[in-house]
Each structure stands twice: as C-alpha cells, then as structure tokens.
Amino acid sequence: MNIIYNEKENTIDIKDGLKSQYFMIKALMILNLLNAALNVSYISESGIGFMQIIWLILGLVSIVVLYFFIFKKSSQEKIDTKTIVSLTEKKVFGAKRLSLQLTNGKHRDLAYLKSSEEIIKVKKMLSKLGISA
C-alpha cells in the first residue's frame, strides 16, 4: 500500500486497489438483487414458498450492503486534505484498522497497512498535515 502526500495539489494519493474491489462488490450485489427480484417475482399457485422467502431475505441484505458501499464508504485514490475530518482507528479481531473520515460523511478505509511501522508512519504524516486522530 502506498500513501503519498502530494504537496503541489495538497492531496493524499492512496494506491491500494480498493476501488476495483468495491466495484466488484457493488456489481455482485446488483446481480444478486436482480436474481432475487426474478426469483421473488415467480409465485406459484400454492403461494409464497420457502425459496421465495430466502430470496427476499437475500435481496434485502443486498440492498443494505449496496447502501453501505454507495453512501458510507469511499474508494477515492486522490483525497484533498481539506476534505479529511479525522483519522479513525478501530480494533477488529485484535488488529488495528485505520480509516479516514471525510467531510461528506463517508469513510475511506486504509485496509492494507500490514505492520505497526506503516501505521505509525501514516499517523505521523497525517498529524503533520493537521489531521487529528
């Protein structure tokens, strides 16, 4: 993962491939939602069956995941430093996860920081820019 501060444009450049991963997740959720809609739309003479209920639940889960990835997550690769509110740190299964909270309410995950040295380096860089942790 490369996180570089561009002084000329006053941006942070993040190269981690998260944009393509989020695109694939969104595409699969849309495909899953279309499949669920087709399967739920078929109602037999006996009424709604077990499979229609399963597909309805899968469709609702797909809608929730799509909402989350469209409105709450960001995959920007160039982030203007003025749009960063703070650096958020969470512990997930004992590992530290960092994300940038943006002014539009979205979060940009920094998912591929492998070692504690990389985390410290990113924290130092952002603190020099005036972004609080």
Side-chain angles (χ1 to χ4, degrees):
M1 172 180 220
N2 288 335
I3 300 177
I4 302 167
Y5 175 63
N6 187 345
E7 293 179 16
K8 292 178 183 176
E9 298 176 2
N10 201 22
T11 60
I12 295 176
D13 297 334
I14 304 171
K15 300 204 184 338
D16 60 355
L18 198 63
K19 187 173 223 152
S20 61
Q21 290 178 6
Y22 280 7
F23 175 75
M24 288 303 296
I25 290 172
K26 290 175 192 176
L28 287 173
M29 288 300 113
I30 290 171
L31 184 64
N32 196 21
L33 186 61
L34 290 173
N35 198 4
L38 288 174
N39 280 302
V40 168
S41 66
Y42 173 73
I43 299 175
S44 64
E45 296 172 0
S46 61
I48 296 176
F50 179 72
M51 288 307 293
Q52 281 86 15
I53 293 172
I54 296 295
W55 278 108
L56 183 65
I57 292 170
L58 283 173
L60 292 174
V61 168
S62 296
I63 290 171
V64 169
V65 170
L66 272 173
Y67 173 79
F68 184 71
F69 276 96
I70 291 173
F71 295 111
K72 298 294 181 185
K73 292 288 186 179
S74 175
S75 61
Q76 289 179 324
E77 293 179 348
K78 279 192 171 193
I79 302 173
D80 190 7
T81 56
K82 295 175 188 172
T83 62
I84 300 172
V85 175
S86 67
L87 177 69
T88 308
E89 183 178 338
K90 295 180 194 174
K91 277 201 166 189
V92 179
F93 299 117
K96 289 182 182 178
R97 302 284 182 192
L98 297 178
S99 65
L100 299 172
Q101 183 178 359
L102 305 176
T103 55
N104 60 4
K106 292 184 177 185
H107 289 272
R108 172 54 163 101
D109 291 332
L110 304 175
Y112 296 105
L113 296 175
K114 299 291 182 193
S115 65
S116 59
E117 291 86 21
E118 288 180 340
I119 293 173
I120 292 169
K121 181 182 170 186
V122 169
K123 284 183 177 181
K124 283 183 182 179
M125 179 183 69
L126 293 175
S127 66
K128 285 181 185 177
L129 297 174
I131 298 167
S132 63

